[in-house]
Amino acid sequence: MSQKEKGIFDILFDFFRSVKLTISLLILLAIVSIIGTVIKQNAPSDEYIRHYGSGLYNVLDFFNIFDMYHSWWFSAILLLLVINLIACSLHRLPGVWRQIFPDSEAKELDDSMLKALPYVERINLPNPGGIKEEEIRSHLRKLFNSPRRIEGQSSVTLYSEKGRFSRLGVYITHLSVILILVGGLAGSLFGFRGFVNVLEGETVDQIILRTKESDMIKPIPFSIRCDDFRVTFYDLDRPEKHVKEYSSDLTILENGKEVFKKTIEVNHPLHYKGLAFYQSSYGEIHEVTLGVQSKNGKEKTLLKVLEGETVPIPNSKVLVRVLKYAPQVHNFGEGVQVALLQHDQSPKTVWLLKERPEFDQKRGDEFILTLEGTSTREYTGLQVTKDPGVWIVWIGCSLMIIGFIFSFFFSHQRIWINVPSGVVDEIVLAGSTNKNKVGFEKKFERLVEEIRRKSLEFRVRI
């Protein structure tokens, strides 16, 4: 059929089933993966601008190079590869299906078949009827399967085959790749990866998603509590300590009730309602006690604030955020840096010194802040992931193993043996296989030798 005679569907189908398209897509994916490895993904914008300059940054950002695995064009490449694999499979599957489930029964071995089959052997019989049909059937059963008997005019053809379904191995592998790609797309489009730090004894019901511009808070449909956190070290007689392992006792709560508990370690996460919590990091955080007192000298209010936390100052429109704690500030002793936040005003950053409580009076505000004390608390760092396609990927990987086993360890082997029913002085054996020709040749030669040996034994008995 010429290109002009083809319809639009046939043209598109020929394009999508093209092996050239498969090779082109695989090469393109390899190039993109190299770029994604060389260029750091999902880093802050300032880091990219410092490295590439604002002009090149804008061009690369327009094409989503800094988050390419979630870009529309990367998903389009994977989707195109899925369509390509489906089209290739649909194009070749009908022919293979007819070989697995033929429309008609096996035919008698004739001259036309002998010319087409790759393995043909003739055994001259020293005496007509020198070997019984049942003996040939017995040898076939040992090396292949129980044969079918096909009656002919002057002979009987015994037909045996083995491993018909091995022809589906390549299509099972195709299906596995499609499932892995679909699972990857589902995870990329509908999944996420975030983190959360949970203090011992504290409960959280939201996580943080890290983006190029800023961190985004995302609620989760339940609460998680850290009951205990443990770190063990190697027993080394050295000043520095080397961590052996660390673990967290976590509890899931719904509507205030405990519903699930688990101790997690590195590579042993907690799974609940589609979310996975991995032990990722740990550390200590300072809890700062701030004193707030108005200028008229009324009673001092104490606020307990964690590093990085923002709280409102009582009887004021100002928020205070603890930025960092320092054990020594220019030989004035321990101190803490805070930021004062107020609507429509730039943040004010000040230091509060524990040994100099009067230091904040110089700011001249309506209230005075003092550092009353500090304490440290341990926290566990959890990586939180949601990947709705992970089970699709696992099914795909399992099917890939099955497909590889079918493809590499099994083959479709067929044997025809023409046994004379009259006064004929030879037996004809023919066979074929779709792969593993060396192994099939050995079995075929073994079958020929055993039948030849049986015919010679009959001659000796005679």
Side-chain angles (χ1 to χ4, degrees):
M1 184 183 293
S2 66
Q3 198 73 8
K4 291 182 180 180
E5 294 173 339
K6 289 184 177 180
I8 184 66
F9 178 80
D10 295 325
I11 295 173
L12 287 175
F13 187 75
D14 288 344
F15 169 75
F16 283 118
R17 71 176 178 83
S18 169
V19 177
K20 293 181 180 179
L21 177 62
T22 309
I23 296 172
S24 300
L25 290 174
L26 292 176
I27 292 174
L28 183 58
L29 281 175
I31 294 173
V32 168
S33 300
I34 292 171
I35 295 173
T37 303
V38 173
I39 298 178
K40 186 178 180 181
Q41 300 289 295
N42 296 310
S45 301
D46 295 341
E47 182 177 336
Y48 291 126
I49 293 173
R50 285 196 306 270
H51 191 75
Y52 299 104
S54 58
L56 183 57
Y57 165 77
N58 291 329
V59 174
L60 297 176
D61 187 55
F62 177 79
F63 291 102
N64 290 327
I65 299 298
F66 304 123
D67 190 16
M68 62 171 59
Y69 300 115
H70 294 91
S71 63
W72 66 267
W73 54 264
F74 186 80
S75 299
I77 295 173
L78 295 181
L79 183 60
L80 195 57
L81 185 58
V82 169
I83 296 173
N84 174 248
L85 287 172
I86 293 174
C88 289
S89 299
L90 290 177
H91 176 66
R92 301 187 181 188
L93 184 59
V96 174
W97 194 261
R98 284 192 295 270
Q99 290 180 311
I100 299 173
F101 302 103
D103 297 331
S104 58
E105 294 293 327
K107 298 179 180 179
E108 179 188 4
L109 187 64
D110 54 22
D111 291 338
S112 61
M113 291 179 64
L114 289 174
K115 293 177 181 179
L117 292 172
Y119 302 97
V120 177
E121 188 73 31
R122 299 176 186 271
I123 300 176
N124 294 321
L125 297 178
N127 197 55
I131 185 170
K132 296 180 180 179
E133 180 184 324
E134 187 54 41
E135 292 177 331
I136 298 176
R137 296 174 68 91
S138 175
H139 290 307
L140 273 175
R141 278 195 296 269
K142 281 195 302 183
L143 294 176
F144 296 94
N145 283 327
S146 294
R148 278 182 279 171
R149 193 173 190 274
I150 305 166
E151 291 279 357
Q153 293 181 354
S154 60
S155 63
V156 172
T157 299
L158 300 178
Y159 173 72
S160 177
E161 65 177 334
K162 184 178 181 180
R164 279 194 302 175
F165 292 97
S166 66
R167 291 184 178 272
L168 292 175
V170 65
Y171 301 99
I172 295 174
T173 305
H174 279 191
L175 178 61
S176 71
V177 174
I178 291 170
L179 289 176
I180 291 171
L181 292 176
V182 170
L185 283 171
S188 175
L189 296 175
F190 306 109
F192 58 79
R193 176 174 294 180
F195 70 95
V196 64
N197 294 329
V198 189
L199 293 166
E200 280 187 310
E202 295 290 329
T203 302
V204 297
D205 59 1
Q206 58 189 19
I207 63 174
I208 299 173
L209 303 182
R210 185 157 286 164
T211 63
K212 288 190 302 181
E213 304 301 330
S214 61
D215 293 339
M216 182 176 67
I217 295 176
K218 181 178 180 63
I220 56 177
F222 52 86
S223 300
I224 186 165
R225 184 181 69 214
C226 177
D227 296 321
D228 190 24
F229 175 75
R230 296 175 297 279
V231 183
T232 57
F233 301 91
Y234 288 102
D235 188 15
L236 300 175
D237 298 329
R238 295 180 181 178
E240 66 272 13
K241 293 182 179 180
H242 297 274
V243 176
K244 184 178 182 180
E245 62 180 11
Y246 48 95
S247 59
S248 302
D249 295 338
L250 303 180
T251 300
I252 301 293
L253 301 100
E254 289 196 84
N255 300 320
K257 296 181 180 179
E258 298 180 358
V259 295
F260 186 67
K261 288 189 175 186
K262 184 175 181 179
T263 298
I264 67 169
E265 300 172 344
V266 177
N267 297 326
H268 293 83
L270 179 152
H271 294 274
Y272 191 75
K273 286 192 172 181
L275 297 181
F277 295 84
Y278 292 85
Q279 182 70 73
S280 176
S281 62
Y282 68 94
E284 292 181 342
I285 192 170
H286 291 90
E287 185 177 54
V288 178
T289 303
L290 299 179
V292 183
Q293 187 175 14
S294 62
K295 279 190 173 182
N296 56 19
K298 287 185 178 181
E299 184 179 353
K300 183 182 292 187
T301 303
L302 299 181
L303 299 176
K304 290 186 177 292
V305 190
L306 296 169
E307 277 183 290
E309 188 179 10
T310 303
V311 297
I313 294 178
N315 303 318
S316 172
K317 297 181 179 179
V318 182
L319 302 176
V320 60
R321 176 181 296 171
V322 176
L323 300 179
K324 64 179 179 179
Y325 166 81
Q328 188 65 244
V329 182
H330 300 298
N331 296 323
F332 289 113
E334 60 180 328
V336 63
Q337 187 184 40
V338 300
L340 301 175
L341 311 173
Q342 195 168 0
H343 185 64
D344 294 334
Q345 292 187 17
S346 300
K348 295 180 182 178
T349 304
V350 297
W351 279 94
L352 305 179
L353 305 175
K354 187 175 182 180
E355 302 299 328
R356 301 288 183 91
E358 74 284 354
F359 189 75
D360 193 50
Q361 295 179 4
K362 299 177 182 179
R363 191 166 44 82
D365 211 332
E366 59 183 7
F367 56 84
I368 301 171
L369 296 175
T370 56
L371 175 59
E372 300 296 323
T374 59
S375 60
T376 58
R377 296 179 64 182
E378 286 186 326
Y379 68 84
T380 178
L382 305 178
Q383 179 179 299
V384 187
T385 61
K386 179 182 179 181
D387 189 354
V390 65
W391 290 109
I392 302 176
V393 173
W394 276 114
I395 293 172
C397 291
S398 301
L399 283 177
M400 181 173 285
I401 294 173
I402 295 172
F404 283 160
I405 292 173
F406 271 42
S407 298
F408 293 111
F409 296 99
F410 296 96
S411 59
H412 187 192
Q413 302 174 356
R414 294 180 290 177
I415 288 287
W416 292 263
I417 300 181
N418 191 274
V419 182
S421 55
V423 183
V424 181
D425 61 354
E426 72 173 5
I427 295 176
V428 182
L429 295 88
S432 70
T433 182
N434 64 328
K435 54 196 167 193
N436 190 19
K437 294 181 179 181
V438 175
F440 179 78
E441 285 176 4
K442 291 180 179 178
K443 291 176 71 175
F444 186 75
E445 290 172 1
R446 181 179 169 188
L447 178 64
V448 171
E449 290 302 320
E450 288 187 355
I451 293 177
R452 180 177 284 120
R453 181 173 54 82
K454 280 289 182 182
S455 67
L456 292 175
E457 287 178 359
F458 181 84
R459 181 180 182 183
V460 171
R461 290 197 299 270
I462 291 298

